[in-house]
Amino acid sequence: MPAMPPKRRTKARKQPLQQRSRETVAVILEAAARVLEARGLEGYNTNAVAERGGISVGSVYQYFPNKDALTLALITRFEDALLAKVRDAVAASEGKSLTASLNLIVRAQLEAHAERAGLNRILEAEEDRLRPASSGTSAAGELKELVADLLARHRREIARPVDDDAVEDLIVISRAMVDHALQNNLSQAAATRRVLRAIEGYLFGPRPDS
Amino acid sequence: MPAMPPKRRTKARKQPLQQRSRETVAVILEAAARVLEARGLEGYNTNAVAERGGISVGSVYQYFPNKDALTLALITRFEDALLAKVRDAVAASEGKSLTASLNLIVRAQLEAHAERAGLNRILEAEEDRLRPASSGTSAAGELKELVADLLARHRREIARPVDDDAVEDLIVISRAMVDHALQNNLSQAAATRRVLRAIEGYLFGPRPDS
Amino acid sequence: MPAMPPKRRTKARKQPLQQRSRETVAVILEAAARVLEARGLEGYNTNAVAERGGISVGSVYQYFPNKDALTLALITRFEDALLAKVRDAVAASEGKSLTASLNLIVRAQLEAHAERAGLNRILEAEEDRLRPASSGTSAAGELKELVADLLARHRREIARPVDDDAVEDLIVISRAMVDHALQNNLSQAAATRRVLRAIEGYLFGPRPDS
Amino acid sequence: MPAMPPKRRTKARKQPLQQRSRETVAVILEAAARVLEARGLEGYNTNAVAERGGISVGSVYQYFPNKDALTLALITRFEDALLAKVRDAVAASEGKSLTASLNLIVRAQLEAHAERAGLNRILEAEEDRLRPASSGTSAAGELKELVADLLARHRREIARPVDDDAVEDLIVISRAMVDHALQNNLSQAAATRRVLRAIEGYLFGPRPDS
DNA sequence: TATGAATGAGCCTTCATTCAT
DNA sequence: GATGAATGAAGGCTCATTCAT
């Protein structure tokens, strides 16, 4: 079992309360994103980020205690964006059929991932390394809730008991399918179809015997 | 779009034809595995590997042109082991029902991953970075074939057309579910049940309309 | 021979004539002292000092041209305090025997050093680095005078000629002994005894032959 | 009280058993010494040391885990040299009078310090910072023993009880006097005279009353 | 005057890789 | 083939100092 590296601060070093600060933080994040996109994890370093952002390294460290914290902030930004899209999709699916709702949600996910596919893939890979082993994010929590609520609303149409495990599995499956679709450059349509097929299989498939 | 890094040899520098050589390669691989397990990606470096293996760095470079090639060899070793287990499971499922066959295969997968869970997770994460974007491995190819054959044999019990996409999706889903199960330290039993549920949902679920 | 670093201002940038200014300077000095005590030379930096003092870095630079000047001010503050204590001791020893007088002075020194032992040790170490090689401070000068006067008053009881060298040596010896005593956490009583023993040995010892 | 900085390895990273290695270590130490002499603590950094030694930084870190360890090695080197000189002086003073013996020892000390006065002063200053607060070195221990033995041999000529405290005080006093002498560029003769005066005062002075 | 965000030179340290032995 | 000392590019990070507001 890998030894846990010595704890390091990974929270923001200073809350960007001032206007100027908030802008700088935004600049840093965007610069980091661009470096990651342009040069990959390989060429991603704080000096490059600073240069790209037209600021100094010192400024990066004014707001992020270390490189990992910066990456983590990027991950959070992505998660928040994803979550927002899903939230909207869920809201928009009020009154719609389960299939239609799922369709909306899957599209939302695909969009969120597709927007900056290269970047997001890298971030997802880094997440594993940076999160202390399944430390539930609030974002992850809310996603579960959203899905759970949707499923609950359509309980009767679903062939299996809708418990926490089901919600989790559904998220795992759709995330994997979405990633796979993007990796293979599937068209929006094909991607949606395949992801949906997987999800609906899970939901409407035969009630498990065991 | 990420700039392609300058091409580097990532194939083994020489085929270990001699007995002695083959042993050394094995030593190196095992040392690398152990370093990865003990210290994580963080503490994984060629000097540490050499030390752990009781050999010199120079020897590592005798058999692997660079660090990535070594990691890749480790990944291949894992994939081969997995494939072997799956192959056996498929062989053993001759004449059995589809459900029983899947059960065997899923167990095989779980076993392969569980054996050195920590190590394998790291390797899977590295795979993304090291494979030039979906460059089909022969191992991946054979896995597809195995699954395709099994499904073909039970075609009539399956609710959807058994095409390449279906095979791919099935692999994606089960891999994701297996990873997730291991990550959450599910028991063998629970893991098997949930992975199977997902797979069977996909196979026996309602025929897609579109 | 060490190259002389480029000359830098190390004097206070402006005389704190105004009441407010004087207060700010005091705040800065005390903040610096506390940082030094709490985090050592390692964690002693102008930003930390400003934060500790509840002011901005800019303000620190308003009153001190650079970090060294601040440290030097701290050293001076300590020296002044020491000198004041010694001056009082000398005044109080009017009419007393030499031994009694020395006792008072040694106690004064010990007190001054003990008050903030950790801080003062650091400052003494920094003094070496910051003073351009034995540039006599006025404080050092006055100390010499005080000691010289005391010795002159008791000339007849002393076994050796009381010249400048003797005064200097006496100061060197007692300073070293006091430092050593504090470093080893000797009790007031033990410390006083040993320091006095050293001093009296020097004064009352055999007249040097050469 | 200053917080103790996180423990770091300060022992040699690798024992220089091979001939080549031993040479490299010597090169590094001498380079470090020269950098310290030429540019002071200010310009003392591992890159400069490597450059000065005509080797690469990597080599420095092959033998010293960090900069402080290197400095510490330099300190030890100095202490060992000093000790060797004192040991010789003690040996040479066999059968001589106490005064003559002290004379030899003081000269030895002065020589050791004078040899590279600038360097040694810096090292002494760093010692405080680098040694975990009065962690008795073996060198310090042996010095005490040497002095104690000498004094014991001449017990009858000494005016005070020769206990551990006396030995310690004597060492403190002579070290302070030697440092002071070098700092003021006293001539060998003057320095010796003054240091001896201080020591003899301590030894032959009046028996303390208290 | 005060503020504190921004700067950026510079230092420590790591580690993949080489190559003389 | 093996060895392991040596290399040195590269990158994370700090902190004294400045200056626009």
Side-chain angles (χ1 to χ4, degrees):
Chain A
M1 190 164 301
M4 194 62 58
K7 292 273 175 203
R8 293 159 106 215
R9 241 176 322 159
T10 40
K11 285 297 163 191
R13 177 175 276 188
K14 174 180 283 193
Q15 303 314 321
L17 295 178
Q18 317 297 329
Q19 175 58 23
R20 177 94 154 305
S21 298
R22 226 179 315 215
E23 272 170 32
T24 303
V25 168
V27 164
I28 295 170
L29 284 176
E30 191 48 35
R34 282 213 232 274
V35 169
L36 229 21
E37 278 174 323
R39 311 193 211 166
L41 217 44
E42 196 69 17
Y44 171 58
N45 63 261
T46 53
N47 289 301
V49 169
E51 194 176 6
R52 180 96 205 196
I55 56 173
S56 70
V57 229
S59 288
V60 174
Y61 283 89
Q62 184 108 55
Y63 298 102
F64 300 94
N66 53 54
K67 194 189 171 188
D68 283 351
L70 173 57
T71 313
L72 225 26
L74 230 35
I75 292 174
T76 300
R77 191 179 78 154
F78 167 58
E79 284 177 339
D80 287 350
L82 170 63
L83 196 60
K85 281 213 152 84
V86 172
R87 216 184 286 121
D88 289 354
V90 169
S93 67
E94 272 280 342
K96 292 226 166 67
S97 74
L98 179 51
T99 299
S101 301
L102 291 174
N103 199 304
L104 283 175
I105 294 175
V106 166
R107 276 178 207 283
Q109 269 183 277
L110 278 166
E111 268 170 36
H113 275 84
E115 206 156 325
R116 300 237 224 168
L119 170 62
N120 294 335
R121 274 203 73 200
I122 297 177
L123 291 180
E124 283 197 338
E126 282 296 271
E127 200 181 347
D128 260 39
R129 193 175 62 78
L130 295 176
R131 292 239 216 261
S134 75
S135 69
T137 339
S138 63
E142 197 188 333
L143 184 58
K144 272 192 201 172
E145 264 179 62
L146 284 171
V147 174
D149 287 353
L150 178 73
L151 295 188
R153 242 185 284 149
H154 296 270
R155 193 180 352 238
R156 280 186 311 255
E157 311 164 43
I158 299 175
R160 67 171 75 249
V162 176
D163 53 10
D164 275 11
D165 285 359
V167 172
E168 230 173 48
D169 291 350
L170 221 40
I171 291 175
V172 167
I173 292 172
S174 60
R175 177 164 164 167
M177 291 296 299
V178 165
D179 282 356
H180 184 248
L182 262 346
Q183 233 167 104
N184 292 46
N185 294 313
L186 298 196
S187 70
Q188 255 269 29
T192 312
R193 189 171 356 105
R194 278 170 77 171
V195 179
L196 271 177
R197 184 183 303 175
I199 290 177
E200 296 185 334
Y202 187 82
L203 288 174
F204 306 139
R207 164 180 304 235
D209 311 323
S210 66
Chain B
M1 193 160 298
M4 196 58 62
K7 290 276 176 199
R8 293 158 105 218
R9 236 176 326 156
T10 42
K11 286 297 167 189
R13 176 174 280 187
K14 71 170 22 178
Q15 298 314 318
L17 294 177
Q18 317 299 329
Q19 174 59 19
R20 176 83 168 300
S21 297
R22 224 174 316 201
E23 273 171 30
T24 306
V25 167
V27 164
I28 294 171
L29 284 177
E30 189 50 33
R34 284 213 230 275
V35 169
L36 229 21
E37 277 175 322
R39 311 192 211 164
L41 217 45
E42 193 73 17
Y44 171 59
N45 62 263
T46 53
N47 290 294
V49 169
E51 192 176 7
R52 180 96 206 195
I55 56 173
S56 69
V57 232
S59 290
V60 174
Y61 281 86
Q62 190 87 49
Y63 295 102
F64 300 94
N66 54 53
K67 193 188 175 189
D68 283 350
L70 172 57
T71 313
L72 228 24
L74 226 38
I75 291 173
T76 300
R77 189 180 81 153
F78 166 60
E79 285 176 338
D80 288 349
L82 171 63
L83 197 60
K85 281 214 154 84
V86 171
R87 216 184 286 120
D88 289 353
V90 169
S93 67
E94 272 281 344
K96 292 226 167 66
S97 74
L98 178 52
T99 300
S101 302
L102 292 174
N103 198 305
L104 283 175
I105 294 174
V106 165
R107 274 179 209 281
Q109 266 184 280
L110 278 166
E111 269 170 35
H113 275 85
E115 208 158 325
R116 299 235 227 169
L119 170 62
N120 295 334
R121 274 202 73 197
I122 296 177
L123 291 180
E124 285 196 339
E126 282 296 89
E127 202 182 346
D128 260 38
R129 193 174 61 79
L130 294 176
R131 292 240 217 264
S134 77
S135 69
T137 338
S138 63
E142 197 189 333
L143 184 59
K144 273 191 200 170
E145 265 179 61
L146 284 170
V147 173
D149 287 354
L150 178 73
L151 294 189
R153 240 185 287 149
H154 295 270
R155 189 175 2 225
R156 279 186 312 255
E157 309 163 45
I158 299 175
R160 68 169 76 251
V162 178
D163 52 10
D164 273 11
D165 286 0
V167 172
E168 226 174 52
D169 290 351
L170 221 40
I171 291 175
V172 167
I173 292 173
S174 61
R175 178 165 165 167
M177 291 296 298
V178 165
D179 282 357
H180 183 247
L182 261 346
Q183 231 168 104
N184 292 44
N185 294 314
L186 297 196
S187 69
Q188 257 270 23
T192 310
R193 188 169 358 105
R194 278 170 76 172
V195 179
L196 272 177
R197 186 182 302 176
I199 290 177
E200 296 184 334
Y202 187 81
L203 288 174
F204 306 140
R207 163 180 304 232
D209 310 325
S210 65
Chain C
M1 190 159 300
M4 197 58 63
K7 290 276 176 199
R8 294 157 105 219
R9 235 176 328 157
T10 42
K11 288 295 168 190
R13 178 173 277 185
K14 70 166 29 172
Q15 299 313 320
L17 294 177
Q18 315 301 327
Q19 174 59 19
R20 176 84 168 298
S21 297
R22 225 173 317 201
E23 272 171 31
T24 304
V25 168
V27 164
I28 294 171
L29 284 177
E30 190 49 34
R34 284 212 229 274
V35 169
L36 229 21
E37 277 175 321
R39 312 193 209 164
L41 217 45
E42 193 73 16
Y44 171 58
N45 62 262
T46 52
N47 289 296
V49 169
E51 192 176 7
R52 180 97 206 193
I55 56 174
S56 68
V57 230
S59 290
V60 174
Y61 282 86
Q62 189 87 52
Y63 295 102
F64 299 94
N66 55 52
K67 193 188 175 189
D68 284 349
L70 171 57
T71 312
L72 228 24
L74 225 39
I75 292 174
T76 300
R77 188 181 80 154
F78 167 59
E79 285 176 339
D80 288 350
L82 170 64
L83 196 61
K85 281 214 154 82
V86 171
R87 217 184 285 121
D88 289 353
V90 169
S93 67
E94 273 280 343
K96 293 226 167 67
S97 74
L98 178 52
T99 300
S101 302
L102 290 174
N103 198 306
L104 283 176
I105 293 174
V106 166
R107 274 179 208 283
Q109 266 184 280
L110 277 167
E111 268 170 37
H113 275 85
E115 207 158 326
R116 299 236 225 169
L119 170 61
N120 294 334
R121 275 203 72 197
I122 297 176
L123 291 180
E124 285 197 339
E126 283 296 271
E127 200 181 346
D128 259 38
R129 194 175 60 80
L130 294 176
R131 292 240 216 262
S134 75
S135 69
T137 338
S138 64
E142 195 189 334
L143 184 60
K144 273 191 200 170
E145 264 179 61
L146 284 171
V147 174
D149 287 354
L150 178 73
L151 295 188
R153 239 185 287 151
H154 296 270
R155 188 175 2 230
R156 280 186 313 256
E157 309 164 46
I158 299 176
R160 69 170 74 250
V162 178
D163 53 9
D164 273 11
D165 286 358
V167 171
E168 226 173 51
D169 291 350
L170 221 39
I171 290 174
V172 167
I173 291 173
S174 61
R175 178 166 163 165
M177 290 297 297
V178 165
D179 281 356
H180 184 249
L182 261 346
Q183 230 168 108
N184 290 44
N185 293 314
L186 297 195
S187 68
Q188 257 270 25
T192 310
R193 190 171 354 106
R194 279 170 76 171
V195 180
L196 271 177
R197 185 183 302 176
I199 291 177
E200 297 184 334
Y202 187 82
L203 289 174
F204 306 139
R207 162 181 304 234
D209 310 325
S210 67
Chain D
M1 191 164 299
M4 194 62 59
K7 293 272 176 201
R8 293 161 106 212
R9 239 176 325 158
T10 40
K11 286 297 164 190
R13 176 175 276 188
K14 173 180 282 194
Q15 302 313 323
L17 294 179
Q18 317 297 329
Q19 176 56 23
R20 177 93 154 305
S21 299
R22 225 179 316 217
E23 273 170 31
T24 305
V25 168
V27 165
I28 294 170
L29 285 176
E30 191 48 35
R34 284 212 230 275
V35 169
L36 230 22
E37 278 174 322
R39 311 193 211 165
L41 218 43
E42 195 69 17
Y44 171 59
N45 63 263
T46 53
N47 289 300
V49 169
E51 194 176 4
R52 180 95 206 195
I55 56 172
S56 71
V57 230
S59 288
V60 174
Y61 283 88
Q62 185 108 55
Y63 298 101
F64 301 94
N66 52 55
K67 193 188 172 188
D68 282 351
L70 172 57
T71 313
L72 225 26
L74 231 36
I75 291 174
T76 300
R77 190 179 80 155
F78 167 58
E79 285 176 339
D80 288 348
L82 169 64
L83 196 61
K85 281 213 154 85
V86 171
R87 216 185 286 121
D88 288 353
V90 169
S93 67
E94 272 281 344
K96 293 226 166 65
S97 74
L98 179 52
T99 300
S101 302
L102 292 174
N103 199 303
L104 283 175
I105 294 174
V106 165
R107 274 178 208 284
Q109 267 183 279
L110 278 166
E111 268 171 37
H113 275 84
E115 207 157 324
R116 299 238 224 167
L119 171 61
N120 294 335
R121 273 203 74 200
I122 296 177
L123 291 180
E124 283 196 339
E126 282 296 272
E127 200 181 348
D128 260 38
R129 192 175 63 80
L130 295 176
R131 291 239 217 261
S134 77
S135 68
T137 337
S138 63
E142 198 189 331
L143 184 59
K144 271 192 201 172
E145 264 180 61
L146 285 171
V147 173
D149 287 353
L150 178 73
L151 295 189
R153 243 185 284 149
H154 296 270
R155 192 183 350 239
R156 279 186 310 257
E157 310 164 44
I158 299 176
R160 68 170 73 251
V162 177
D163 53 10
D164 275 10
D165 285 0
V167 172
E168 229 174 49
D169 291 350
L170 221 41
I171 291 175
V172 167
I173 291 173
S174 61
R175 178 166 164 166
M177 291 296 299
V178 166
D179 282 355
H180 184 248
L182 262 345
Q183 234 168 105
N184 291 44
N185 294 314
L186 297 196
S187 69
Q188 255 270 29
T192 309
R193 188 171 357 103
R194 278 171 76 172
V195 179
L196 271 178
R197 185 184 302 174
I199 289 177
E200 296 184 335
Y202 186 83
L203 288 174
F204 306 138
R207 164 178 304 233
D209 310 323
S210 64

